[in-house]
């Protein structure tokens, strides 16, 4: 089931992508996902206007590690000339340029950006066409099933994007109206795949290896863009690739294996973002990592009050010790 996918001139080692997620797919997390075998990682989405005006926080979003390859950057904006100009500026730093036409966040939509562009296919075409003209690297686009239930125009939007010259498409099976609620409609993914001749990646409701295989079989998409399923669970990538290759479902990682990844994540955060930022930003990651673990609610409360990475490391050791007590038949303690 795993197969190589070529996007323009770029050949990927696997057909699993890491979808851009604000506050999640930063440099440290991407490195963890690349170690698991992701075919293509992507930055968090970046505003073209913020780059134009030299916003001080934007360069951090664009930061990459030496040898981090392949890597996509995702831009959002609504002005064709500006999007073309910024794409041309960035293409030497990245493997491809992705365009966000699916973000449902109100402030993005109010500006006519993100999923608002699904209501303006003519403007969307001009943006994509301008970017394709200005770039030698592949340009791709991510969008949704439609803006709302009455306007599910993903197949038509996909044909427009292909006509504009994009090299691949990613489709989220929910409308903007749904945000992340309800169930993703995979029928939309199949419709899009049948509508175009370029690679199509499906997105939405893939939380385990079996979901990935079912999406590939039911929709015919070329690959999968993993998103919320990898939050606190980067090993979903490696387990999914193994399952697609062999049909063997590997067990969930053990607690020691999870703690090893968590500790590495903390270390990468410190290396690339510094102690203070690492301590603050790891709180949400620890909350995701510890879902379902013994005493996880108590641990998450402590994580949210941790002021240093030293405290986070100590909590990992505490969790490890509590697990060992449980194995010896003693009542686990988080004291």
């Amino acid at each position: 089931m795993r197969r190589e996918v070529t996007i323009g001139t770029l050949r990927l080692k696997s057909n699993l992508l890491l979808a851009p997620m604000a506050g999640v797919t930063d440099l440290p997390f991407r490195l963890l996902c690349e170690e698991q075998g992701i075919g293509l990682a992507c930055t968090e989405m970046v505003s073209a206007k913020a780059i134009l005006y030299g916003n001080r926080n934007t360069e951090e979003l664009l930061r990459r590690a030496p040898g981090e390859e392949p890597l996509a950057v995702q831009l959002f904006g609504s002005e064709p000339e500006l999007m073309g100009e910024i794409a041309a500026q960035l293409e030497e730093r990245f493997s491809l340029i992705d365009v966000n036409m699916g973000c449902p966040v109100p402030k993005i939509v109010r500006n006519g950006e993100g999923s608002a562009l699904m209501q303006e296919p003519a403007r969307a075409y001009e943006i994509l066409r301008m970017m394709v003209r200005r770039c030698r690297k592949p340009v791709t686009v991510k969008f949704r099933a439609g803006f709302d239930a009455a306007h599910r125009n993903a197949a038509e939007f996909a044909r427009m994007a292909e006509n504009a010259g994009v090299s691949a498409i990613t489709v989220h099976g929910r409308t903007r109206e749904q945000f992340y609620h309800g169930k993703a409609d995979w029928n939309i993914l199949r419709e899009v795949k049948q509508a175009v001749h370029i690679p199509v990646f499906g997105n939405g409701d893939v939380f385990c290896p079996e979901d990935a295989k079912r999406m590939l079989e039911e929709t015919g998409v070329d690959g999968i863009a993993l998103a919320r399923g990898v939050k606190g669970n980067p090993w979903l990538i490696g387990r999914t690739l193994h399952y697609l290759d062999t049909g063997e479902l590997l067990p969930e990682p053990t607690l020691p294996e999870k703690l090893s990844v968590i500790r590495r994540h903390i270390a990468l955060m410190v290396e690339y973002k510094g102690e203070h930022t690492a301590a603050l930003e790891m709180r949400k990651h620890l909350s995701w990592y510890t879902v379902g673990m013994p005493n996880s609610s108590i641990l998450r409360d402590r994580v949210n009050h941790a002021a240093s990475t030293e405290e986070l490391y100590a909590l990992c050791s505490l969790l490890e010790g509590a697990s060992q007590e449980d194995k010896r038949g003693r009542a686990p303690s988080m004291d």
Side-chain angles (χ1 to χ4, degrees), residues 172-235:
H172 185 133
R174 291 180 175 84
T175 64
R176 185 269 171 177
E177 183 181 51
Q178 288 179 276
F179 277 68
Y180 300 99
H181 306 298
K183 188 176 181 180
D185 184 357
W186 289 2
N187 291 323
I188 290 290
L189 310 185
R190 184 171 58 252
E191 291 174 14
V192 169
K193 176 57 186 171
Q194 293 172 350
V196 297
H197 301 92
I198 54 179
V200 175
F201 295 85
N203 176 232
D205 292 353
V206 175
F207 296 103
C208 64
E210 300 97 317
D211 290 339
K213 183 179 180 182
R214 189 165 57 84
M215 176 182 280
L216 291 170
E217 290 176 340
E218 292 182 5
T219 69
V221 293
D222 300 278
I224 296 170
L226 297 172
R228 290 180 298 155
V230 296
K231 291 166 64 173
N233 186 21
W235 41 83

Side-chain angles (χ1 to χ4, degrees), residues 48 75 79-90 126-127 129-135:
L75 295 176
E79 300 171 30
E81 289 287 344
L82 175 60
M83 291 289 281
E85 174 62 29
I86 298 303
Q89 288 181 23
L90 293 179
E126 291 302 323
I127 291 169
R129 187 63 183 155
M130 181 62 69
M131 295 176 73
V132 169
R133 285 175 177 169
R134 295 294 304 273
C135 295

Side-chain angles (χ1 to χ4, degrees), residues 76-78 100-104 108-109 112-118 142 157:
F76 72 94
S78 60
N100 185 307
M101 294 189 175
C103 179
I108 302 292
V109 173
E113 302 165 334
S115 59
L117 287 164
M118 295 202 73
K142 184 174 188 289
F157 204 81

Side-chain angles (χ1 to χ4, degrees), residues 59-288:
E59 191 56 39
E60 179 63 28
L61 297 177
L62 297 173
R63 189 180 182 189
R64 63 184 300 172
E68 190 183 3
E69 185 76 25
L71 179 64
V73 59
Q74 189 185 68
L75 295 176
F76 72 94
S78 60
E79 300 171 30
E81 289 287 344
L82 175 60
M83 291 289 281
E85 174 62 29
I86 298 303
Q89 288 181 23
L90 293 179
E91 70 167 330
E92 291 303 320
R93 299 171 60 179
F94 296 94
S95 307
L96 63 80
I97 312 293
D98 189 54
V99 188
N100 185 307
M101 294 189 175
C103 179
V105 174
K107 67 178 182 180
I108 302 292
V109 173
R110 282 195 297 269
N111 287 335
E113 302 165 334
S115 59
L117 287 164
M118 295 202 73
Q119 297 180 301
E120 294 189 73
R123 175 175 286 272
Y125 175 86
E126 291 302 323
I127 291 169
L128 296 174
R129 187 63 183 155
M130 181 62 69
M131 295 176 73
V132 169
R133 285 175 177 169
R134 295 294 304 273
C135 295
R136 297 185 305 278
K137 299 279 184 68
V139 174
T140 62
V141 61
K142 184 174 188 289
F143 53 88
R144 286 181 167 244
F147 193 80
D148 55 33
H151 302 89
R152 295 160 65 87
N153 61 332
E156 295 86 347
F157 204 81
R159 282 191 286 267
M160 173 278 297
E162 184 177 37
N163 290 335
V166 304
S167 297
I169 286 166
T170 299
V171 186
H172 185 133
R174 291 180 175 84
T175 64
R176 185 269 171 177
E177 183 181 51
Q178 288 179 276
F179 277 68
Y180 300 99
H181 306 298
K183 188 176 181 180
D185 184 357
W186 289 2
N187 291 323
I188 290 290
L189 310 185
R190 184 171 58 252
E191 291 174 14
V192 169
K193 176 57 186 171
Q194 293 172 350
V196 297
H197 301 92
I198 54 179
V200 175
F201 295 85
N203 176 232
D205 292 353
V206 175
F207 296 103
C208 64
E210 300 97 317
D211 290 339
K213 183 179 180 182
R214 189 165 57 84
M215 176 182 280
L216 291 170
E217 290 176 340
E218 292 182 5
T219 69
V221 293
D222 300 278
I224 296 170
L226 297 172
R228 290 180 298 155
V230 296
K231 291 166 64 173
N233 186 21
W235 41 83
L236 172 63
I237 299 161
R239 293 180 68 235
T240 297
L241 290 174
H242 184 83
Y243 184 63
L244 295 178
D245 283 344
T246 69
E248 177 191 17
L249 185 62
L250 295 175
E252 292 278 354
T254 64
L255 180 59
E257 289 170 336
K258 289 185 177 182
L259 289 173
S260 176
V261 170
I262 291 170
R263 289 177 173 125
R264 173 153 170 72
H265 197 166
I266 296 171
L268 287 169
M269 278 289 206
V270 173
E271 178 181 355
Y272 288 105
K273 298 195 174 188
E275 165 68 27
H276 178 69
T277 300
L280 294 178
E281 293 192 4
M282 276 305 299
R283 290 177 177 178
K284 63 189 175 192
H285 289 285
L286 263 293
S287 295
W288 296 327

Side-chain angles (χ1 to χ4, degrees), residues 263-331:
R263 289 177 173 125
R264 173 153 170 72
H265 197 166
I266 296 171
L268 287 169
M269 278 289 206
V270 173
E271 178 181 355
Y272 288 105
K273 298 195 174 188
E275 165 68 27
H276 178 69
T277 300
L280 294 178
E281 293 192 4
M282 276 305 299
R283 290 177 177 178
K284 63 189 175 192
H285 289 285
L286 263 293
S287 295
W288 296 327
Y289 277 123
T290 55
V291 170
M293 288 187 182
N295 301 294
S296 58
S297 60
I298 299 173
L299 179 66
R300 283 194 292 275
D301 182 66
R302 295 188 180 186
V303 163
N304 289 331
H305 290 89
S308 68
T309 57
E310 183 179 356
E311 291 180 62
L312 297 179
Y313 282 124
L315 287 170
C316 288
S317 298
L318 195 61
L319 183 61
E320 194 168 39
S323 175
Q324 290 171 352
E325 287 183 11
D326 187 40
K327 287 180 180 179
R328 290 195 292 266
R330 302 174 186 174

